[in-house]
Amino acid sequence: MHPDRYESWGRFPKVCRQEVRSLRFRSDPLPEAEGPLLPYGLGRSYGDSCLNEGGTLLSTTNLDRLIHFDHERGILRCEAGVSLAEILRLTVPRGWFLPVTPGTKFVTLGGAIANDVHGKNHHADGTFGRHVRCFEVLRSDGTRHLCSPEENAGLFRATIGGLGLTGVVTWAEFQLRPVSNPLIEAESVRIRSLDEFYEVNAASEADYRYTVAWIDVLASGRNLGRGLYNRGNHAAPVTADLPKLRWGSRLAVPLDAPGWAINPLTVRAFNFAYYHKQLRRVQAGLLPYEPFFYPLDAVAKWNRVYGKRGFFQYQCVVPTGSEAMREIIRTIARSAEASPLVVLKTFGDLPSPGMLSFPRQGITLALDFPNRGERTFRLFEELDRLVADAGGALYPAKDARMPPAMFQRSFPRWREFATYVDPRFSSSFWRRVTHEF
Amino acid sequence: MKRVLILGATSAIAEETARLFASKGDRICLVGRRPERLAEIAADLRVRGAPQVETLVSDLNETERHGALIDGAAEALGGLDTALLAHGTLGDQAASQADWTVAASEIHTNFLSAASLLTLLANRFEAQRHGAVAVISSVAGDRGRQSNYVYGAAKAGLTTFTDGVRNRLAPLGITVVTVKPGFVDTPMTAHLPKGPLFVKPDVVARSIHRALAKGGNVLYTPWFWRFIMAIIKAVPEAIFKKLKL
Ligand SMILES: Cc1cc2nc3c(=O)[nH]c(=O)nc-3n(C[C@H](O)[C@H](O)[C@H](O)COP(=O)(O)OP(=O)(O)OC[C@H]3O[C@@H](n4cnc5c(N)ncnc54)[C@H](O)[C@@H]3O)c2cc1C
């Protein structure tokens, strides 16, 4: 299989010495392969956690079979390469929704477990791992382990958020959420500052399952943190005629955009227009779930707008009360380096079963930066310092560069986790962050 | 609701086509060599909506068992309306050139065993006066090339055989489709670098499913292969023999 097609979503770093083998049947043994192994789903991780320089990727997208669906209780068991898009296609018409979904539906079930993904409902429902009932892990010695909170509990907790390092998850079973239709009752509230974000957020979290804010990261001074706060719930049964639910066809970005397409001027123009597009302070309506959860999925391969050099996502979490978030936003505004895609949200206190899970109580900010080389790295070092001083952490699924010290400090259970790592499995990320420092 | 027999059911194209039948609520019998793999596909098809899925383990190279196999499938499903013949191997040309026994087994799998199954299915459909069958051949059968003429010759034989069966059964309204896929991104072609002409198996599956339901004849899939092959067939032999194809 052509290794070139196997890159990460941020297209940085570029990896050239990497083999690919496709897994096709869950009963088959792992293929013979060179070097260390790593499962690879749909490559929606941004950095190097889904890459394996000098080793072999085990492509899982052909493991896409369903095994059992309990329509009454909403429990689905399927192979790990099934995408969340496919799961929604099958279950939504039957009245069931994903318990937790990331901002794109083009991820595999295995990838969702391995990164223990979170969604807009973290404050209400925690991470994806909390809704996983059991799965099978296939290890390089050929053994298969059925894992659940009761059985092989250690391997269960290591594999959730385990970055693909504990073996291949061949199938998993998880609990879905009942819904009456594919609609979301959504509201968008204009917020003028970070303080207002905290206010609106505190008032919203009790009543809304889904909350997230977009902020204009270039706004500073008393406008710092201004943006749009989005909240929503699954809609109650609708009796009137449903609005037309077909939601546009997918466009694709056909070519790499030139490297300068995302620059401070275009970003400033976009942010201004986006913030002011909403005239009323609160805007409400019924939306199909796709534009609410997956606005970016409407454009396939949108990562190409950042050009061939690729881009970074920086996602951090810091404690809610700390001044750190204000300082982080201020630093980013000053640099004028970020793109308009910015997500601000609070994580609740529901614990994840995963040993290495990223979400923890606090406030999380995620945003994209085009790769401008040294300049971008220097900015990240500054941000790292703010995050580390506040006792925060970076999200491995979005990372391509955090120093080993930062990883080891913010994921204190990493040594315990390491005892569960399959001796034949590794990744570019893992080798990077477990370096001695 | 149709009763569908799928031979070579663990191939990627067959599996994708089976999912389309399942989603329409058809009853399905899967035939393949590996029981675990068949069981995994069967479970998937049930969740996708097939009310009945049977599996039969068989090595389709054993032509003497074909009669009993098809009778068994028909009995399990209570009759047969549709069949897909999808088994085959993409052989190793170098090995086939060096050793006739390798070539012969290639031809046995890709032509003789398929022709045997098609004979039995044709006779059954003719007797019951209805039915639809699709046979997966290949664009490689359209013209012999040095890089895979053993496989190509077997598929050329299968194409001609299938065309003949269609000619014979057309008056009864029985559908016989010769399927000629181009490059398909399957585990069978995993070792090849993927150019823009490669498509995923679900694209091919959709066109097979449509041709079986609506009546089709010779199906190049994706469609542009009809034009590519028209050009390749039109190159004069004097020139063609000098090409490294
Ligand atoms: C637009 C966009 C929005 C996003 N929004 C969010 C968000 O809101 N919240 C969030 O948490 N994340 C988010 N992400 C990140 C994404 O959800 C995760 O990176 C996810 O894990 C990607 O899944 P994948 O199938 O593409 O896996 P890959 O990126 O291919 O792999 C991810 C990891 O999973 C491992 N893995 C894959 N399959 C298996 C398996 N079968 N067994 C064991 N390990 C396996 C890999 O080894 C790797 O470590 C977003 C990504 C994008 C592109």
Side-chain angles (χ1 to χ4, degrees), chain A residues 9 39 41-45 49 102-103 107-108 111 114-115 117-118 163-164 169 395:
Chain A
W9 192 246
L42 280 163
R44 253 52 175 198
S45 299
S49 66
V107 310
T108 62
N115 274 326
V117 298
H118 58 269
L163 302 169
V169 175
Y395 190 5

Side-chain angles (χ1 to χ4, degrees), chain A residues 1-7 15-16 18-20 57:
Chain A
M1 211 155 292
H2 219 40
D4 293 359
R5 293 191 310 176
Y6 293 81
E7 47 183 22
V15 163
C16 26
Q18 181 175 262
E19 294 289 314
V20 181
L57 294 179

Side-chain angles (χ1 to χ4, degrees), chain A residues 5-11 39-51 60-61 83-85 102-112 115 117 250-252 294 296-303 311 313 315 368 395-399:
Chain A
R5 293 191 310 176
Y6 293 81
E7 47 183 22
S8 70
W9 192 246
R11 306 170 82 194
Y40 182 95
L42 280 163
R44 253 52 175 198
S45 299
Y46 283 74
D48 54 0
S49 66
C50 62
L51 300 176
T60 62
T61 47
S83 70
L84 299 189
T104 172
K105 59 182 170 162
F106 301 115
V107 310
T108 62
L109 176 58
N115 274 326
V117 298
R250 288 183 80 206
L251 305 166
Y294 314 115
L296 288 167
D297 284 353
V299 185
K301 302 195 176 156
W302 59 260
N303 54 344
F311 67 111
Q313 180 156 105
Q315 179 164 11
D368 291 343
Y395 190 5
K398 313 281 180 76
D399 180 60

Side-chain angles (χ1 to χ4, degrees), chain A residues 142-165:
Chain A
T143 56
R144 290 168 188 271
H145 306 262
L146 180 67
C147 301
S148 73
E150 293 81 37
E151 205 170 332
N152 292 312
L155 188 55
F156 182 77
R157 285 181 297 107
T159 301
I160 291 175
L163 302 169
L165 298 164

Side-chain angles (χ1 to χ4, degrees), chain A residues 287-357:
Chain A
L287 274 182
Y289 71 85
E290 285 103 330
F292 183 77
F293 288 108
Y294 314 115
L296 288 167
D297 284 353
V299 185
K301 302 195 176 156
W302 59 260
N303 54 344
R304 291 182 178 183
V305 302
Y306 292 98
K308 281 205 174 64
R309 296 184 70 186
F311 67 111
F312 300 92
Q313 180 156 105
Y314 194 85
Q315 179 164 11
C316 61
V317 58
V318 293
T320 313
S322 72
E323 268 301 293
M325 187 51 76
R326 198 177 302 276
E327 200 45 49
I328 289 168
I329 298 173
R330 203 174 284 141
T331 308
I332 294 167
R334 211 182 305 126
S335 80
E337 291 284 312
S339 87
L341 302 175
V342 183
V343 175
L344 186 68
K345 138 130 210 106
T346 51
F347 287 147
D349 59 1
L350 293 170
S352 165
M355 268 175 214
L356 225 59
S357 288

Side-chain angles (χ1 to χ4, degrees), chain A residues 218-336:
Chain A
L218 291 178
S220 52
R222 66 187 168 82
N223 286 332
L224 184 131
R226 78 170 180 191
L228 299 174
Y229 187 92
N230 291 299
R231 53 193 188 192
N233 282 316
H234 290 287
V238 187
T239 41
D241 283 347
L242 283 183
K244 222 171 155 347
L245 290 182
R246 287 224 160 263
W247 176 56
S249 53
R250 288 183 80 206
L251 305 166
V253 176
L255 290 171
D256 294 311
W260 46 262
I262 304 282
N263 65 47
L265 251 165
T266 55
V267 174
R268 202 170 290 280
F270 175 90
N271 284 3
F272 183 84
Y274 196 74
Y275 179 68
H276 289 284
K277 78 172 177 159
Q278 180 172 328
L279 297 175
R280 277 172 296 154
R281 197 174 107 79
V282 179
Q283 190 166 299
L286 270 185
L287 274 182
Y289 71 85
E290 285 103 330
F292 183 77
F293 288 108
Y294 314 115
L296 288 167
D297 284 353
V299 185
K301 302 195 176 156
W302 59 260
N303 54 344
R304 291 182 178 183
V305 302
Y306 292 98
K308 281 205 174 64
R309 296 184 70 186
F311 67 111
F312 300 92
Q313 180 156 105
Y314 194 85
Q315 179 164 11
C316 61
V317 58
V318 293
T320 313
S322 72
E323 268 301 293
M325 187 51 76
R326 198 177 302 276
E327 200 45 49
I328 289 168
I329 298 173
R330 203 174 284 141
T331 308
I332 294 167
R334 211 182 305 126
S335 80

